[in-house]
Amino acid sequence: MAKCQYQKRYMNTQNKRPLILVTNDDGYDAKGIASLVEAVKDLGKVVVVAPDGPRSGQSSAITPGVPLRAVQLKKNENLEIFKTTGTPVDCVKLALHQLLESKPDIVLSGINHGSNAAVSVIYSGTMGAAIEGCIAGINSIGFSLCSYDKDADFSNIVDYIRFIVKDVIDNGLEKGVCLNVNFPDSADIKGVRVCRQASGFWTKEFEKRKDPIGKDYYWLTGYFHNNEPQAKDTDEWALSNGFASVVPCKVDMTSYETQGRLKTLESFSKEG
């Protein structure tokens, strides 16, 4: 795998254990983030900066016009924990610019309670935080387990997480690339597949209901429609067949294929 020289240069100048920034979108007290910290705590110094409550579906949202607050809950030589009133991306920004004494070597987000495969990466606060770390030039990974249970069992994926994190710390990622890692909710994971994002969309996304006084309201729900259920190189196929999926995601959303075709637009002139 190609290495981001900027990121590697930074890490190679440090004569200390890696600094690991951890965040999530389920809140600082979620079982998933505690399991992530437990998985990586001996790989470096861990600093947790996470929301004070659930922030699912926040994507890359930030909080303009409203003051943010951060409360330190724990501090020792190897672990610091802060909770904030912000979004997952706010947490990363606040950590980088105010709370950390030095730039982290890696940003880890999760472990999310629920899948962030396929197009869900667009909506995910977990991946929003990982993307923000990537924008800042830091190796970043988002982790998710395909279970929405608040008391989900994360023990089966700890070894996989450690292996992936150690690989990224040692080898780095290409500039502008972060990883979206999803695990099936299974006691018998078959292994890891490096995949592409499946093509699909969410459908039937709201249910119309009535409150106790008879007024209508709408509850967000929905089902994911997979356009290519048999495609074996996608994250959805991997997860459906018992594998962990690893999708490298790019910050640059430019469609280079379309860029050339649109060059004809440059011929337009109001002067005629």
Side-chain angles (χ1 to χ4, degrees):
M1 181 181 292
K3 300 174 184 177
C4 172
Q5 295 305 312
Y6 172 79
Q7 293 167 337
K8 291 295 289 180
R9 232 182 4 252
Y10 175 78
M11 288 190 285
N12 289 339
T13 61
Q14 306 303 303
N15 294 314
K16 57 184 180 181
R17 301 174 73 208
L19 177 59
I20 303 171
L21 173 61
V22 176
T23 190
N24 73 348
D25 72 355
D26 289 313
Y28 75 99
D29 56 351
K31 185 176 180 180
I33 197 170
S35 299
L36 180 55
V37 170
E38 185 67 23
V40 302
K41 66 181 184 181
D42 65 329
L43 301 181
K45 178 178 179 179
V46 176
V47 178
V48 175
V49 182
D52 58 6
R55 300 287 194 280
S56 294
Q58 293 289 291
S59 185
S60 290
I62 56 175
T63 309
V66 178
L68 295 181
R69 301 190 185 278
V71 177
Q72 189 172 59
L73 303 175
K74 183 173 185 176
K75 182 176 182 179
N76 60 43
E77 184 178 353
N78 296 311
L79 176 64
E80 295 183 47
I81 300 176
F82 296 85
K83 67 175 181 178
T84 83
T85 54
T87 67
V89 169
D90 286 330
C91 290
V92 175
K93 287 181 176 290
L94 196 60
L96 297 183
H97 297 286
Q98 293 292 331
L99 301 179
L100 297 180
E101 295 181 358
S102 60
K103 186 176 182 180
D105 298 289
I106 194 167
V107 173
L108 306 179
S109 186
I111 307 166
N112 188 62
H113 293 246
S115 172
N116 278 316
V119 74
S120 294
V121 69
I122 300 295
Y123 308 105
S124 167
T126 300
M127 284 306 298
I131 290 168
E132 185 62 28
C134 185
I135 291 171
I138 304 167
N139 294 315
S140 300
I141 313 172
F143 292 104
S144 302
L145 176 70
C146 296
S147 169
Y148 293 95
D149 186 350
K150 290 183 179 179
D151 195 37
D153 182 4
F154 296 93
S155 62
N156 295 318
I157 66 176
V158 167
D159 289 341
Y160 287 99
I161 288 174
R162 286 178 54 81
F163 179 78
I164 293 168
V165 171
K166 287 173 69 176
D167 181 82
V168 172
I169 288 176
D170 291 342
N171 299 306
L173 294 168
E174 295 174 315
K175 184 177 180 181
V177 174
C178 59
L179 300 184
N180 180 19
V181 181
N182 285 267
F183 295 95
D185 184 21
S186 171
D188 185 24
I189 297 174
K190 297 178 181 177
V192 176
R193 289 290 181 269
V194 179
C195 312
R196 64 178 174 87
Q197 177 181 314
S199 171
F201 59 91
W202 285 89
T203 184
K204 298 181 181 179
E205 295 186 73
F206 284 94
E207 288 183 1
K208 184 177 181 179
R209 302 178 182 178
K210 289 190 180 293
D211 65 20
I213 61 174
K215 291 188 176 182
D216 293 338
Y217 71 96
Y218 302 89
W219 190 261
L220 181 64
T221 176
Y223 304 92
F224 179 73
H225 176 80
N226 189 347
N227 290 334
E228 44 184 358
Q230 302 306 316
K232 295 183 179 182
D233 61 340
T234 70
D235 51 6
E236 287 289 343
W237 185 92
L239 293 166
S240 296
N241 287 272
F243 294 95
S245 66
V246 178
V247 177
C249 300
K250 296 182 69 174
V251 170
D252 183 355
M253 298 178 70
T254 306
S255 171
Y256 292 98
E257 298 85 354
T258 307
Q259 189 179 26
R261 181 180 65 79
L262 294 178
K263 284 290 185 180
T264 56
L265 299 177
E266 296 179 359
S267 64
F268 175 78
S269 171
K270 294 200 326 187
E271 285 72 34

